[in-house]
Amino acid sequence: MKKFNVGIIGATGAVGQEMIKILSERDFPIEELRLLASARSEGKVLNTPFGDITVHETKEDSFEGLDIVLGAAENDTAKKFAPAITAAGAVFVDNSSAFRLEENVPLVVPEINPEDAYKHQGIIANPNCSTIITLVAINAINKLSKIESLTASTYQATSGAGAGGPKEMFEQSKLILEGRKNEIEAKVFQHQIAFNLIPQIGGFDEVGYSSEEMKLQNEGRKIMHLPDLKVSCTCVRVPVERSHAISAVVVTEDYLDLDDVRKAIAEAPGAKLYDDRDNKVYPMPSVTSDQDIVFVGRIRRDLVHENGINLWCCGDQVRKGAATNAIQIAELLIK
Ligand code: A2P
C-alpha cells in the first residue's frame, strides 16, 4: 500500500495533538510525519505513536516532499503558509476559518458532502466545530425533507479555544474554591469562565451576531448545498472541558413524522440516536467526549413551528469537530 508524507502545522496545540493520535488510531498510511509549530516549539521532541519526532518552526520551505498538510493553527498562520504548501505540491486540509467560504475551496464534512473534496485546487477547509456537530445531527432530517431554517443555541466547551482554555477554567475554579476569586484574571476568555457562562465567541458584527454564530449559517449553506437556509444562532462558552452541545429547532418544508426522524438519525453516518427520556438518556459532554460520534437526543415536536423538530446534540469538538473530520478528509484524498 502506498504511504504518504504528512505534515501538521500546530502539532503542539490541542487539535494538532489529537491529529497525531487519530492518524495512528485510524492506521493512516504514513511514510513521514512532519511536526510543525511556532518558533517557540523549535527543537521540542514529541513522543508519538510514530516514534519520537522533533518539532520544527513552520517556514516557507517546511513543506517540500509532503503530500498532505493538516492545518491546526490560527487563520493568520494558515493564510501565511497556504501559498508555500500548494507550491510544494501538497494538499492543505486546513482547520482554520481562513478559506472556508472561498469559492474554489471545498468545505467538507465527509458524512455529508464527500464529493466536494475532489473539486479542490490545493486547499480543502475543515468546517467550524459546532457546525460539523450540528450538521451531522440534522443531515438525515434534510434528506427526509429540505430544511428551511434552523434556530440554535450552542454550549461550547473550553477546549474549543485551544489548550489554554481548559487550563484557564481549572486555574480559576481552584482560585474560587480557595476563596481567592479576586485574583482571577481572564486571559483566554473575555470574562471569568469558571462557574460562569459567556455569550460571546468571536467578535460581533454590526447587527449583534458573533462571528461564531454566523458560521453555522454561512458554512451550513455551503456544506449542505442549501443556499437559502436561514439560521439564527446564539453561541455560548460554558465551563465544560470537552464536547460541544447544541440545542436546535429544525424547520422543514414538509411535516415529518417523529418516528421517521428518529429512524433516519439512527441510520445516519456519524450520528447516534441517544434518546430515551424514561431512562434519563440524552447526550451530555460526559458521555460523548473522546469519541467521533455525534449523539442526538431530546427529539420532540417544536411547539412554535408546525413543521419544526426540536433536538439536542452533543459531540467531541476536538475530535469530530476538528481533528477527526480533517483526517477523514485526508482519507478521501488517498482513496
Ligand atoms: P506553539 O505551541 O509553538 O505555540 P492551541 O490552539 O492549542 O492554542 O494551539 C495552537 C497551535 O498553533 C500550536 O501548535 C502553536 O504552536 C501553533 N502556532 C501558533 N502560532 C504559530 C505560527 N506563527 N506558526 C506555526 N504554528 C503556530
Side-chain angles (χ1 to χ4, degrees), residues 68-81:
I68 295 169
V69 175
L70 301 170
E74 293 294 325
N75 285 15
D76 50 349
T77 305
K79 277 194 186 140
K80 182 174 171 195
F81 293 109

Side-chain angles (χ1 to χ4, degrees), residues 9-15 36-41 58 72-74 77 81 161-164:
I9 307 182
T12 51
V15 173
L36 303 165
S38 79
R40 290 179 291 275
S41 301
T58 316
E74 293 294 325
T77 305
F81 293 109

Side-chain angles (χ1 to χ4, degrees), residues 28 46-47 56 64-65 75 101 113 147-148 166 170 187-188 202 232 239 263 268-269 274 276 309 326 330:
F28 196 92
L46 294 186
N47 179 258
H56 292 291
E64 286 313 313
N75 285 15
L101 298 181
N113 61 333
I147 295 176
E148 291 185 332
F170 288 125
K187 292 184 199 130
V188 175
S232 195
K263 185 167 179 284
Y274 198 71
D276 175 6
I309 309 281

